[in-house]
Amino acid sequence: MGRPRKALLDRGRIGRTALELVDETGDFTVPEIARRLGVQTASVYHHVEGRAGVIELLRERVVDDLDPAALGVRPWDAALEAWAHSYRSAFAAHPRAVSMLMTSPVRAPRVIEQYERVAGLLLEAGFAPETVMPVITGLDNIVLGSALDMSAPEVMWVVGEESQAPRLALAQAATGPARADRAFELTLAGFLAHCRGLLGA
Amino acid sequence: MGRPRKALLDRGRIGRTALELVDETGDFTVPEIARRLGVQTASVYHHVEGRAGVIELLRERVVDDLDPAALGVRPWDAALEAWAHSYRSAFAAHPRAVSMLMTSPVRAPRVIEQYERVAGLLLEAGFAPETVMPVITGLDNIVLGSALDMSAPEVMWVVGEESQAPRLALAQAATGPARADRAFELTLAGFLAHCRGLLGA
């Protein structure tokens, strides 16, 4: 609606349209992207390598919202902390894309470049090579689990009658809407402290 | 295929069928469930309150695979550790359900009962009421983030040429297929240590 039917097609527009569809419906198909852009399905395939290629364009759109300064912070743990916050905000805007992006291999050069910087940061800090991927993956899981949780309802556990789950009701009332943010801060703090301990050991 | 067209309808079968559809396609609709069970859509609605009700039946099916003994372990941190492992295994079998279940309020009585036990365990251990939900939510995010990661490809970052991301390539080669499990163990260990520290403070 309101889009020119013969708009110039480029990879940026394909990625943005795929992301819009995922935000709205939880998924995309290449014919749906073509329809929304007013072009033939074959034209989309001319610009991108299949469905997996579209997922990478979509991934680049989300990752473009990360703060590029975060990974320049020092020391390494402050960089990871800043990156985790920025990364969580970027993905919280697109919770329906999280699952798709977590289960498809990362090929997008701009995203590979971010992880290369994180791997370099950890190696320079003194982490053993075999510990670098577990640290990166652990941080990814915390961030993306929390990004999904940010789109959860404010009251996540609906206790029908308080007598049925009195301690859960008490705990929910005590935290209120701060639940998601406090969970993230607590988990990230524990994670970074543990990583500092791994370096010291 | 092969199912009797007039099978007896019950909530267990509706939940199982919804879970099958989510495992296969990433989503379900009530008419699809009805078709697969060989009944009218209205008959399904007779047994369950709308789409949200079906999500709760599906949630019960997944949570039924948790080890009921885990939360009986003592002390509290050993119980959380056993529960987290069991919970991760149960959800790793259904990665496409994770996002749906994390973003819908929990109403299923058998699931509320599990969280009531966890809340009780933490309160008894001495956690302040306002810290209980952040701890539960943090553990949920770690477990569900990791369950999604378990269905990720073994090589998650596809480095086209090693020279393009040499440190990422080195780190991936050093960890290999142990990446997902080591990330979970590292994150869970850090989380539990941090929680023990909160109690001591």
Side-chain angles (χ1 to χ4, degrees):
Chain A
M1 289 216 317
R3 282 199 188 77
R5 287 191 61 78
K6 300 255 175 190
L8 275 175
L9 199 57
D10 64 43
R11 292 163 60 86
R13 296 193 66 214
I14 294 170
R16 266 193 301 281
T17 306
L19 183 56
E20 275 173 23
L21 282 164
V22 171
D23 287 345
E24 291 166 22
T25 70
D27 206 352
F28 73 85
T29 66
V30 176
E32 277 172 329
I33 293 171
R35 201 174 315 127
R36 197 166 276 210
L37 289 172
V39 300
Q40 301 291 319
T41 300
S43 310
V44 177
Y45 282 121
H46 184 70
H47 286 79
V48 65
E49 268 188 78
R51 180 178 166 84
V54 178
I55 293 178
E56 290 314 282
L57 295 180
L58 187 161
R59 190 191 304 277
E60 286 187 342
R61 291 282 76 71
V62 179
V63 172
D64 275 350
D65 288 339
L66 265 73
D67 174 8
L71 290 178
V73 174
R74 289 294 176 275
W76 65 273
D77 52 345
L80 287 193
E81 191 175 3
W83 188 60
H85 277 100
S86 166
Y87 185 7
R88 177 178 182 245
S89 300
F91 273 83
H94 306 288
R96 302 180 84 171
V98 168
S99 180
M100 176 185 291
L101 294 178
M102 277 189 83
T103 53
S104 313
V106 181
R107 295 174 189 273
R110 287 216 296 283
V111 183
I112 293 285
E113 188 213 322
Q114 290 256 332
Y115 283 92
E116 170 67 4
R117 287 182 70 190
V118 179
L121 189 73
L122 294 171
L123 289 168
E124 274 160 33
F127 283 91
E130 65 271 23
T131 307
V132 169
M133 291 321 294
V135 169
I136 290 178
T137 300
L139 194 64
D140 260 4
N141 294 350
I142 289 170
V143 165
L144 294 170
S146 179
L148 271 180
D149 181 46
M150 283 172 85
S151 70
E154 198 175 297
V155 175
M156 185 64 191
W157 291 271
V158 182
V159 180
E161 291 180 39
E162 289 212 358
S163 59
Q164 185 204 329
R167 295 169 299 184
L168 186 59
L170 169 75
Q172 285 204 112
T175 314
R179 182 185 65 79
D181 287 346
R182 289 203 53 203
F184 177 64
E185 295 303 340
L186 183 155
T187 310
L188 184 60
F191 182 78
L192 292 174
H194 190 68
C195 290
R196 282 187 290 267
L198 291 177
L199 262 195
Chain B
M1 289 216 317
R3 283 198 186 78
R5 286 193 59 79
K6 300 256 175 189
L8 274 174
L9 200 56
D10 64 42
R11 292 164 59 87
R13 297 194 66 217
I14 294 170
R16 266 193 301 281
T17 306
L19 184 55
E20 275 173 24
L21 282 164
V22 170
D23 286 346
E24 292 166 21
T25 69
D27 205 353
F28 72 85
T29 67
V30 176
E32 277 173 328
I33 293 171
R35 199 174 315 129
R36 197 167 275 210
L37 288 170
V39 301
Q40 300 292 319
T41 300
S43 309
V44 176
Y45 282 121
H46 184 72
H47 286 80
V48 67
E49 268 188 77
R51 180 177 166 86
V54 178
I55 292 178
E56 290 314 282
L57 296 180
L58 187 160
R59 191 191 303 276
E60 284 186 344
R61 290 285 74 71
V62 180
V63 171
D64 275 350
D65 288 338
L66 265 73
D67 174 8
L71 290 177
V73 174
R74 290 293 176 277
W76 65 272
D77 52 345
L80 287 193
E81 190 174 4
W83 189 60
H85 276 101
S86 166
Y87 184 7
R88 178 178 181 245
S89 300
F91 273 83
H94 307 288
R96 301 180 84 171
V98 169
S99 179
M100 176 184 291
L101 294 178
M102 276 189 84
T103 54
S104 314
V106 181
R107 296 173 188 274
R110 288 216 296 285
V111 182
I112 292 285
E113 190 213 321
Q114 290 256 334
Y115 282 91
E116 170 68 4
R117 287 183 69 192
V118 179
L121 188 73
L122 293 171
L123 289 168
E124 274 160 33
F127 283 91
E130 65 270 23
T131 307
V132 168
M133 292 321 295
V135 169
I136 290 177
T137 300
L139 194 64
D140 260 5
N141 294 351
I142 289 170
V143 166
L144 294 170
S146 178
L148 272 180
D149 182 45
M150 283 172 84
S151 71
E154 200 175 295
V155 174
M156 185 63 190
W157 291 270
V158 182
V159 180
E161 292 178 39
E162 290 214 357
S163 60
Q164 187 205 328
R167 296 169 299 183
L168 186 60
L170 169 76
Q172 285 204 113
T175 315
R179 182 185 65 81
D181 287 346
R182 289 203 53 203
F184 178 64
E185 296 303 341
L186 183 155
T187 310
L188 183 60
F191 182 78
L192 293 174
H194 190 69
C195 289
R196 282 188 290 267
L198 291 178
L199 263 193

